[in-house]
Amino acid sequence: MLKGKKILLGITGSIAAYKSVFLVRLLVKAGAEVKVIMTEGAKDFVTPLTFATLSKNKVLSDLFDGDTWANHVMLGRWADAMIVAPASCNTIAKMANGTCDNLLLAIYLSSQAPVLIAPAMDEDMWHHPSTQKNVGTLQQNGNIFLPVNKGELASGLTGKGRMAEPEEIVKYLKGFFEKKNDLNGKIALVTAGPTYEAIDPVRFISNHSSGKMGVAIAEELYKRGAEVQLVLGPSTLLTNKGIKIKKVVSADEMYKACMKDLQSYDIIIMAAAVADYAPKTISPQKIKKKSEEFSLELKKTKDILFETGKRKSSGQTLVGFALETNNEKENAIKKLRHKKADLIVLNSTNDEGAGFGLDTNRITIFDKKGKEYKFPTKTKEEVAEDIVNTVIQYRNE
Ligand code: CTP
């Protein structure tokens, strides 16, 4: 799986740099071509000669080498993947903020390749809100973090912060390349977020959806090689640069965006929390408070999932969501049949760790052939992976 893969390995100033010596050996042994970039800080821990010998490539460190300029743009384009291991707290902060004061950062900023980050630092630094904020920013920008291990740290303390072992990084990378191609050539549509239904120029009806689940699904589909069109309701979430985003506000706008080119999609996942009702008329002026009581007349919005189910052709896989408070399974299956979806993802408000705005979710998926897939509480990224895996399995059956 790693044979012939071009890997850029960024090494930063951390004692864990010694582990990257083994990482280079394992990558080269697996058939990858490795180019190492070191920060100045990294050279205090391991010499460039060690990495140059093992990778059989010149180690790169400087934006300028004598009178030649290191072409960071071409290096970024050369790679199939970039790994930063170990990633120090300082480098993570600089990556998150777009700082460009060394070759590693210049390559990171110009790279089109997926970026994997293996952090290494003291536990308190890892847990610091600033570091966690930087990690969140980098994840939102589409970077992949390898989990830090628990154990003895350079400070002498025991805790979280150890860099993933070289064997773990190689295993992850193999899985990543294997997985990456399984939706190659496929086109996917994802809806996400809430919708805003205007009452007057300053007020609207909406719900608490953050869009996190749908965005995580769009990112997972993209990681697996699909071309992704995300139709996103009002949300502040950022996403991967490769995903096409159409921002919409109302249910009607979302409906129109989805119906456009509907037949071109292979996979359609509707995770948006679309408002079911919208004001019948939108007041052109701000409504003034006059009477003690005030009623709004609402009309049903177009059910996008239902309309898609009506139009869908046999090669298309349609996935809906059902958020239920009672008779969960029965209601979800009813929804699956009524909306002519292939699969329905059930969230129950009764499950701890599931719901709007949270970083975790707990789902059960039902398919139209009668199969049921139950999953434990997981992060929304992991749930997205489960959903995409189930869709692929369903399509292959
Ligand atoms: N949905 C949609 N368009 C709408 C309403 C819902 O596309 N106008 C989609 C959602 O994206 C989700 C699924 O339908 O995939 C389920 O939505 P939900 O609101 O839970 O179900 P409803 O059919 O609206 O039924 P109810 O509110 O009565 O539970």
Side-chain angles (χ1 to χ4, degrees):
M1 252 308 134
L2 289 180
K3 205 166 164 38
K5 292 282 182 248
K6 298 185 181 84
I7 311 285
L8 276 176
L9 174 61
I11 299 172
T12 72
S14 156
I15 179 64
Y18 82 89
K19 288 197 199 172
S20 299
V21 173
F22 297 96
L23 178 59
V24 175
R25 265 203 77 206
L26 291 176
L27 290 171
V28 171
K29 232 171 124 182
E33 192 180 339
V34 183
K35 287 190 182 174
V36 174
I37 312 128
M38 295 178 82
T39 62
E40 279 311 306
K43 293 181 193 167
D44 291 332
F45 294 93
V46 184
T47 68
L49 184 61
T50 310
F51 288 116
T53 312
L54 289 170
S55 69
K56 301 188 183 70
N57 273 318
K58 189 172 180 308
V59 169
L60 305 152
S61 281
D62 303 312
L63 277 162
F64 302 98
D65 186 5
D67 55 2
T68 52
W69 169 63
N71 192 337
H72 53 86
V73 177
M74 289 329 285
L75 275 165
R77 293 198 169 211
W78 169 84
D80 293 308
M82 178 174 187
I83 315 172
V84 186
S88 66
C89 192
N90 188 33
T91 292
I92 287 175
K94 287 181 180 180
M95 287 166 82
N97 289 290
T99 305
C100 187
D101 65 0
N102 63 38
L103 182 64
L104 192 154
L105 295 163
I107 294 174
Y108 163 68
L109 289 170
S110 45
S111 174
Q112 297 297 308
V115 179
L116 289 86
I117 302 170
M121 66 195 76
D122 192 59
E123 182 169 32
D124 294 332
M125 291 167 89
W126 174 247
H127 286 305
H128 193 281
S130 298
T131 308
Q132 287 306 310
K133 193 169 154 224
N134 291 333
V135 169
T137 305
L138 287 169
Q139 280 175 325
Q140 273 188 3
N141 292 348
N143 300 287
I144 302 157
F145 271 81
L146 291 159
V148 288
N149 287 337
K150 238 182 166 166
E152 202 182 313
L153 300 166
S155 58
L157 300 170
T158 302
K160 247 182 158 180
R162 278 174 71 88
M163 184 178 101
E165 294 303 318
E167 291 80 3
E168 290 172 322
I169 299 178
V170 170
K171 192 171 158 211
Y172 186 88
L173 208 56
K174 280 184 179 166
F176 176 79
F177 281 121
E178 216 166 62
K179 227 173 70 163
K180 205 178 157 255
N181 299 324
D182 52 15
L183 288 177
N184 258 358
K186 297 283 177 277
I187 308 177
L189 169 70
V190 180
T191 67
T195 61
Y196 287 179
E197 309 306 328
I199 298 171
D200 66 16
V202 292
R203 303 180 179 97
F204 57 82
I205 300 173
S206 190
N207 56 62
H208 292 296
S209 167
S210 61
K212 276 184 195 164
M213 193 61 251
V215 169
I217 293 169
E219 288 179 348
E220 181 63 24
L221 289 162
Y222 177 72
K223 266 194 237 161
R224 316 275 287 246
E227 186 185 320
V228 184
Q229 171 70 63
L230 173 65
V231 178
L232 182 63
S235 162
T236 51
L237 292 178
L238 298 168
T239 186
N240 215 304
K241 26 188 176 180
I243 295 174
K244 284 192 237 162
I245 304 184
K246 169 81 185 149
K247 286 218 167 190
V248 294
V249 177
S250 65
D252 191 50
E253 280 177 30
M254 189 174 273
Y255 169 74
K256 286 182 181 135
C258 291
M259 291 305 127
K260 190 172 176 282
D261 306 323
L262 188 67
Q263 293 309 323
S264 64
Y265 302 111
D266 301 287
I267 297 169
I268 303 169
I269 303 185
M270 301 206 147
V274 189
D276 288 329
Y277 291 91
K280 207 165 171 184
T281 51
I282 304 172
S283 165
Q285 271 97 39
K286 189 179 166 209
I287 301 170
K288 289 285 176 195
K289 57 174 179 299
K290 289 183 199 128
S291 53
E292 273 310 304
E293 283 177 18
F294 173 75
S295 320
L296 259 183
E297 211 178 336
L298 303 177
K299 65 171 191 319
K300 246 192 185 163
T301 56
K302 279 248 172 61
D303 189 323
I304 310 166
L305 181 60
F306 179 77
E307 295 299 326
T308 306
K310 273 203 312 204
R311 292 165 174 74
K312 134 183 148 63
S313 56
S314 59
Q316 294 182 304
T317 308
L318 179 62
V319 185
F321 272 70
L323 177 66
E324 303 294 339
T325 54
N326 57 309
N327 294 337
E328 290 95 335
K329 183 172 171 175
E330 198 186 314
N331 283 333
I333 292 174
K334 228 192 218 162
K335 223 166 258 184
L336 169 84
R337 294 203 181 117
H338 173 63
K339 303 200 186 193
K340 295 193 173 63
D342 295 283
L343 300 131
I344 197 131
V345 182
L346 166 69
N347 297 282
S348 168
T349 48
N350 297 322
D351 285 333
E352 211 176 296
F356 286 150
L358 296 178
D359 289 325
T360 54
N361 201 358
R362 184 167 172 185
I363 59 156
T364 306
I365 304 178
F366 301 95
D367 73 16
K368 73 169 182 203
K369 299 172 195 159
K371 276 202 184 151
E372 178 175 339
Y373 311 79
K374 248 190 153 98
F375 300 94
T377 304
K378 296 186 180 189
T379 64
K380 287 193 170 164
E381 286 73 27
E382 289 165 337
V383 171
E385 204 179 328
D386 289 337
I387 293 170
V388 173
N389 282 339
T390 311
V391 169
I392 293 172
Q393 195 181 321
Y394 176 85
R395 285 173 64 85
N396 291 340
E397 270 170 5

